[in-house]
Amino acid sequence: MEQPVLQWQAGTVTAIRPETLKTKSFTLALPKWMAHRPGQHYDVRLTAPVTAPDGYQTQRSYSIASAPERMGELELTVERIEDGEVSPYLHDVLVPGDQLEVRGPIGGYFVWEVSLGGPLLLIAGGSGVVPLMAMLRHRAAQHATMPTRMLYSSRTADDVIYRDELDALAASDRTFEVFFSFTRQPPEVFFTFTRQPPTGWTGYRRRIDAAMLGEVIKPFDKRARVYLCGPTLLVEAVANTLVQMELPTEQIRTERFGPSGA
Amino acid sequence: METDEGDMNTALMVDGNAVAGQLQQIFGRDMTMAMARCAACAREAEMGALMVFTQAPGVVLRCPACQAVIARIVETPSAIYLEARGAAFLRMAAQP
């Protein structure tokens, strides 16, 4: 594949949308836009005087949330990290019309395209859902029908990013199912929340474990292509469990984003 | 996910995907699908799957099988250092 030189460019923020209390999606219009592959990310760079008076620069990688079919712009969904350097600026200071220095698209390992086929099992921890959402949006834009399941672990129902879109997708597409797992949900809140569970909705109230993985992967068995993204400890635990379940390692792609909330 | 104090290093670990931009800047192409053979244990892994530690003065890439250091990257204002003694080789697809 042709790979143009990676260059920084100034994108223009065209929209900012809150997703949850801690996450926002930023739409950027890029002068040198190019189609990405779902799962890729962009680097975002902040330069003084934004961060410090001495020309200091700092950068972070953020996964692309939008599908490549959306031409000319891209969407990054970013979780606000309390003691972070970049995400608080993006959340608290940036407004539509501002410019943001970015380079990308970057990466080739944690990538899924319709041509790679399925059955597809997407496993997310927290904001690890972002690159998986790009895959799902790409799959929907291509009207692809390979069997696809998502297992999405978050602290509480309020922390679920793209909740409405995931539910709508699951309701309208018989080949897609989403399973949520809430690790911190108090039981009473959980039952309030599930008073009207969508048809076929399956919820868990614990961390992802072997039994849960076994249930979700069952119809795909050893043919599942797995994309797993989230906090490092979650990814480590889930990947090890999948290997113990004798899923071929070459069918498992992982992306770790560090400590929880990083 | 809670951060286990006793397992801090693992919690801080990311993987080769996190430094894909830096690697692409150095090599001029995506390197996350390039294979690296560990000089210590001979295991081959995609660079995207290497264990990576970025919370240091530089970046450290380690073998996912034996955890030996495969490469280190340090950037200064005027230069980039890439030390890769821990890699027996890197193998990437020929470009058309």
Side-chain angles (χ1 to χ4, degrees):
Chain A
M1 180 179 292
E2 190 196 344
Q3 292 181 346
V5 177
L6 200 55
Q7 281 182 327
W8 291 101
Q9 58 176 314
T12 303
V13 179
T14 56
I16 300 176
R17 187 179 68 248
E19 300 280 3
T20 65
L21 278 177
K22 283 199 221 160
T23 55
K24 286 183 180 178
S25 289
F26 300 84
T27 306
L28 296 175
L30 296 186
K32 290 181 214 154
W33 181 89
M34 62 176 284
H36 61 272
R37 304 173 70 201
Q40 286 188 304
H41 62 261
Y42 267 73
D43 286 345
V44 172
R45 177 167 78 178
L46 303 183
T47 306
V50 166
T51 51
D54 59 357
Y56 170 77
Q57 290 184 331
T58 187
Q59 70 183 57
R60 294 289 183 277
S61 290
Y62 294 112
S63 291
I64 305 163
S66 49
E69 285 78 7
R70 205 168 133 185
M71 296 179 71
E73 59 181 25
L74 64 98
E75 197 173 284
L76 307 175
T77 302
V78 178
E79 180 175 359
R80 189 185 189 286
I81 308 302
E82 276 312 313
D83 56 353
E85 267 187 309
V86 177
S87 64
Y89 172 79
L90 300 180
H91 270 250
D92 306 343
V93 182
L94 206 65
V95 293
D98 283 352
Q99 301 228 301
L100 194 61
E101 221 180 352
V102 299
R103 68 174 181 187
I106 293 166
Y109 174 74
F110 195 78
V111 158
W112 179 83
E113 289 158 309
V114 163
S115 59
L116 289 171
L120 189 60
L121 176 57
L122 308 174
I123 305 174
S127 58
V129 72
V130 177
L132 307 181
M133 197 64 205
M135 296 174 189
L136 282 178
R137 286 169 168 167
H138 162 64
R139 178 183 173 277
Q142 296 289 327
H143 306 289
T145 55
M146 67 285 288
T148 301
R149 292 184 152 201
M150 172 179 274
L151 175 57
Y152 183 176
S153 173
S154 57
R155 288 173 193 223
T156 72
D158 289 339
D159 295 310
V160 174
I161 311 171
Y162 317 125
R163 171 86 207 203
D164 292 346
E165 190 175 344
L166 288 170
D167 282 341
L169 201 57
S172 66
D173 179 350
R174 283 186 303 139
T175 59
F176 172 67
E177 289 171 273
V178 61
F179 302 79
F180 295 103
S181 183
F182 306 124
T183 57
R184 302 272 178 86
Q185 194 82 68
E188 61 277 21
V189 177
F190 180 81
F191 288 123
T192 306
F193 171 70
T194 58
R195 67 190 187 279
Q196 292 175 305
T199 312
W201 187 84
T202 309
Y204 298 101
R205 254 182 298 162
R206 58 181 200 269
R207 292 186 182 183
I208 297 175
D209 56 24
M212 194 188 298
L213 283 171
E215 285 171 32
V216 174
I217 208 170
K218 196 168 183 193
F220 302 166
D221 196 34
K222 305 249 185 329
R223 296 171 300 125
R225 298 183 67 94
V226 179
Y227 287 80
L228 164 58
C229 184
T232 298
L233 295 179
L234 177 146
V235 171
E236 289 293 297
V238 173
N240 288 338
T241 305
L242 290 170
V243 170
Q244 281 161 16
M245 292 163 68
E246 296 180 348
L247 195 74
T249 50
E250 62 270 21
Q251 286 166 226
I252 308 170
R253 289 285 158 95
T254 51
E255 181 159 283
R256 301 163 176 84
F257 60 60
S260 177
Chain B
M1 198 121 210
E2 285 177 78
T3 303
D4 181 350
E5 287 291 324
D7 207 9
M8 187 56 90
N9 282 340
T10 307
L12 291 178
M13 180 179 94
V14 289
D15 52 42
N17 303 302
V19 291
Q22 214 169 358
L23 290 170
Q24 190 166 336
Q25 187 185 7
I26 295 169
F27 288 91
R29 56 188 291 166
D30 174 59
M31 291 297 287
T32 55
M33 285 299 284
M35 303 300 288
R37 175 181 284 184
C38 175
C41 76
R43 156 81 171 262
E44 290 183 25
E46 290 94 348
M47 292 196 78
L50 298 183
M51 302 163 69
V52 168
F53 297 83
T54 57
Q55 306 213 352
V59 168
V60 180
L61 295 89
R62 289 179 180 270
C63 172
C66 77
Q67 306 186 3
V69 174
I70 288 185
R72 299 179 179 90
I73 304 168
V74 172
E75 288 195 37
T76 73
S78 59
I80 298 170
Y81 293 77
L82 169 65
E83 179 268 289
R85 278 177 296 178
F89 60 70
L90 302 179
R91 185 179 73 243
M92 58 208 93
Q95 284 184 317

